[in-house]
Amino acid sequence: MSCATTTFNLGPSLRLHNYSYNYNNNLRFPKPFAHYHYFAVANNNNNNNNNYYSNNTSSYSVGTLFSISTNHRSPSFNASRSSSSSPFIICSSLKSQPSVSQERVVVLVIGGGGREHALCYALRRSPSCDAVFCAPGNVGISNSGNATCISDLDIFDSTAVISFCHKWGVGLVVVGPEAPLVSGLANDLVKAGIPTFGPSAEAAALEGSKNFMKNLCDKYGIPTAKYKTFTDPSAAKQYIQEQGAPIVIKADGLAAGKGVVVAMSVEEACEAVDSMLVKGDFGSAGCRVIVEEYLEGEEASFFALVDGENAIPLESAQDHKRVGDGDTGPNTGGMGAYSPAPILTKELQALVMKSIILPTVNGMAAEGCKFVGVLYAGLMIEKKSGLPKLIEYNVRFGDPECQVLMVRLESDLAQVLLAACRGQLSGVSLNWSPGSAMVVVMASKGYPGAYEKGSVIRNLEEAEHVAPCVQIFHAGTAQDSDGNIIATGGRVLGVTAKGTDLEEARERAYQAVEEINWPGGFYRRDIGWRALPQKQFASKRVN
């Protein structure tokens, strides 16, 4: 197959359309139907149609040009899919411009956390989306009407998932969590002919094995921290003694975001080695450890959509991993995030694409396991050099970064993800709302350690209406026999808000948080402190 060099703009002029939309939140389990409802929206390329948007349009440019070697393909979306066995739920019109011949699609989201709630929220707003299912989903997703939840579908049973997709005419599967990806769900779905946004098990090793990721970095010159891999605790401890502290100890496999210890002393580092290699606290994930150089600087999250050969950056975001205010205490899955992240300037984003993302995409293709999905690069912007280094890769949207990205996304998410599945991202651009977004995570007391389940959460509806542009995404929630929302997980709610700037987004998010009555929960009161160091952060606790 011949290859052509394609130059494409990863950040063209973004046009933002702010006309209003409405939709019905009472989403019920659909039945097969015999017709589609199409949205016909004027194509922006026709100058005569631009008047439709002229009173409410703003534009700005981001990004730079990248040139990589690709197999040249031209996009073609087929809108003639049979509808005889497909469910009929009309999704709301998003503030974007689908073409008249836009393909219709039914989507299945795999997962049941805050990330998946945010994805369902964005897909529900996609103009080309006829229905959204979520398996297993959660009570917040179901109650909000963002998707029809299929709680009894085993997402690790590929045969069952494929059968469901065939029955309900699913034309796109979006895999949220990493575990089904590492176990090969995407392999089986793609083999069955179902477009799937998420990497194969082989490509998911970028997250499933930190040793695999580090070896790839070595081979393809991707900047990362100096490291060594060990299975023998004595050898690991000897290396730690030689290197000194601070130093970082990582479990090689998946550990739910908790398999990383930033040790400030040699003793602490050796205890982490014993925890993983001797005591087996992380099970098979900790059978091999990576001892890594400590990098001093500021962390940031960088996301790119990848179709196997091309990559498009998403808007910037930054999260807070530590459980306590001032970035203190143990690492968590994430206690809050905001977008955009001032640390990731346009120049720095271009450098990350050139030195980290594109070499990874090309390297994975050269290794025979093309990556299709979202690459989430955890970065350290080094204090001394100001240059980015790769800390780790995740092969799915970050949580809680996904929440702030999805509330800002203006493009038709379903069509963008389909383009990625088909190797057609070249030339695709993304529209983002101006301003900022912030999410504050509310967690069960005791998290990330042992925590109590079953505490009642009240005033959620009041919290969503306490300020404009507030969305509450559910993660670890359920509904008891009395109809109360109860906490069932460590990270429970993602209280998200948009604003004209980060200060307004933060004010709205915390206003909503403080409206929630949940004695069994807690939250950080300083989300965004790096971007707003002059602010006096919220001091109120959960009621």
Side-chain angles (χ1 to χ4, degrees):
M1 180 181 296
S2 62
C3 293
T5 299
T6 301
T7 300
F8 59 96
N9 190 348
L10 295 182
S13 177
L14 308 181
R15 300 188 65 80
L16 310 171
H17 304 288
N18 299 316
Y19 54 89
S20 62
Y21 60 92
N22 295 291
Y23 61 89
N24 179 7
N25 277 333
N26 298 319
L27 186 64
R28 296 186 295 272
F29 195 88
K31 296 181 179 180
F33 70 103
H35 66 280
Y36 280 102
H37 176 80
Y38 287 86
F39 293 100
V41 180
N43 190 319
N44 191 42
N45 292 330
N46 186 334
N47 291 332
N48 293 330
N49 291 331
N50 282 344
N51 292 332
Y52 180 82
Y53 302 105
S54 60
N55 293 330
N56 241 344
T57 302
S58 61
S59 65
Y60 60 93
S61 297
V62 298
T64 185
L65 288 172
F66 293 93
S67 179
I68 62 175
S69 180
T70 69
N71 293 325
H72 191 76
R73 297 184 179 93
S74 60
S76 61
F77 293 117
N78 179 7
S80 61
R81 182 168 58 86
S82 170
S83 61
S84 60
S85 62
S86 301
F88 177 55
I89 301 173
I90 294 299
C91 291
S92 66
S93 177
L94 183 63
K95 299 178 229 176
S96 63
Q97 304 165 48
S99 65
V100 173
S101 60
Q102 192 79 51
E103 179 183 4
R104 314 303 304 161
V105 66
V106 174
V107 184
L108 170 63
V109 176
I110 299 294
R115 166 183 49 232
E116 289 74 39
H117 192 171
L119 288 170
C120 290
Y121 167 83
L123 288 163
R124 180 78 168 85
R125 297 166 66 232
S126 294
S128 68
C129 181
D130 278 324
V132 184
F133 294 100
C134 189
N138 64 46
V139 66
I141 296 172
S142 179
N143 288 353
S144 67
N146 293 140
T148 299
C149 293
I150 315 299
S151 59
D152 59 351
L153 181 59
D154 184 354
I155 62 175
F156 291 94
D157 183 345
S158 296
T159 301
V161 175
I162 291 168
S163 176
F164 179 88
C165 291
H166 287 159
K167 178 179 180 180
W168 292 102
V170 172
L172 171 65
V173 175
V174 181
V175 185
E178 63 274 20
L181 293 168
V182 172
S183 70
L185 178 61
N187 300 59
D188 296 334
L189 290 169
V190 170
K191 187 176 180 180
I194 300 168
T196 302
F197 183 78
S200 65
E202 295 78 15
L206 277 174
E207 179 172 0
S209 171
K210 294 178 178 63
N211 186 59
F212 175 89
M213 184 214 80
K214 287 289 193 177
N215 287 339
L216 189 84
C217 289
D218 282 349
K219 187 171 182 178
Y220 293 97
I222 299 164
T224 189
K226 183 178 70 173
Y227 75 101
K228 278 195 175 181
T229 303
F230 299 93
T231 56
D232 176 23
S234 298
K237 291 176 185 178
Q238 182 179 343
Y239 180 74
I240 290 167
Q241 292 282 353
E242 293 168 357
Q243 298 300 311
I247 199 164
V248 181
I249 315 300
K250 295 181 177 180
D252 178 54
L254 298 178
K258 303 181 185 71
V260 177
V261 175
V262 180
M264 303 310 292
S265 68
V266 168
E267 292 74 20
E268 186 182 358
C270 291
E271 287 174 5
V273 168
D274 283 339
S275 170
M276 296 176 193
L277 291 181
V278 179
K279 298 177 183 177
D281 289 348
F282 294 97
S284 60
C287 290
R288 181 165 51 186
V289 301
I290 287 80
V291 180
E292 189 176 271
E293 169 193 14
Y294 173 80
L295 298 177
E296 186 177 3
E298 188 169 342
E299 291 188 45
S301 303
F302 190 94
F303 297 87
L305 301 182
V306 182
D307 67 4
E309 296 166 351
N310 307 300
I312 300 177
L314 302 185
E315 269 285 9
S316 62
Q318 190 166 24
D319 74 339
H320 298 259
K321 290 293 186 190
R322 301 277 189 154
V323 72
D325 289 354
D327 289 340
T328 58
N331 276 335
T332 70
M335 295 299 294
Y338 53 92
S339 173
I343 186 69
L344 282 170
T345 63
K346 298 308 175 187
E347 295 76 15
L348 199 54
Q349 290 180 57
L351 180 59
V352 171
M353 287 295 296
K354 181 180 179 180
S355 65
I356 295 176
I357 300 297
L358 294 180
T360 300
V361 173
N362 292 334
M364 292 295 285
E367 294 299 315
C369 49
K370 287 186 177 182
F371 187 95
V372 175
V374 61
L375 263 182
Y376 164 15
L379 304 174
M380 179 65 76
I381 313 303
E382 284 200 283
K383 185 176 181 179
K384 289 182 179 179
S385 66
L387 298 177
K389 282 190 175 181
L390 179 65
I391 301 173
E392 64 180 4
Y393 268 130
N394 292 329
V395 297
R396 31 70 185 185
F397 284 101
D399 186 345
E401 296 97 331
C402 186
Q403 286 85 315
V404 290
L405 291 173
M406 290 303 105
V407 298
R408 291 194 61 211
L409 182 68
E410 297 283 356
S411 297
D412 186 323
L413 180 62
Q415 290 304 307
V416 172
L417 300 188
L418 272 174
C421 295
R422 294 166 174 169
Q424 297 170 348
L425 277 181
S426 180
V428 171
S429 61
L430 300 176
N431 296 347
W432 301 92
S433 67
S436 299
M438 178 178 287
V439 56
V440 178
V441 170
M442 301 187 74
S444 297
K445 288 181 178 177
Y447 176 81
Y451 54 85
E452 182 182 350
K453 297 181 180 181
S455 55
V456 176
I457 306 170
R458 294 184 172 88
N459 290 4
L460 289 175
E461 186 175 347
E462 292 84 347
E464 278 202 317
H465 293 94
V466 75
C469 303
V470 172
Q471 291 287 331
I472 298 178
F473 296 112
H474 289 234
T477 61
Q479 201 160 13
D480 66 15
S481 57
D482 296 323
N484 298 311
I485 299 297
I486 60 172
T488 58
R491 291 186 301 157
V492 176
L493 300 170
V495 183
T496 310
K498 291 198 296 182
T500 55
D501 54 26
L502 187 58
E503 186 172 352
E504 184 176 58
R506 182 194 170 278
E507 181 180 349
R508 289 173 172 176
Y510 275 105
Q511 192 177 351
V513 164
E514 290 159 12
E515 186 70 21
I516 295 171
N517 182 350
W518 181 27
F522 78 98
Y523 58 93
R524 278 185 59 164
R525 296 174 295 279
D526 65 343
I527 302 302
W529 72 271
R530 289 185 181 275
L532 296 169
Q534 77 282 4
K535 282 292 296 180
Q536 294 297 314
F537 290 93
S539 58
K540 289 187 180 181
R541 298 182 180 275
V542 180
N543 294 334

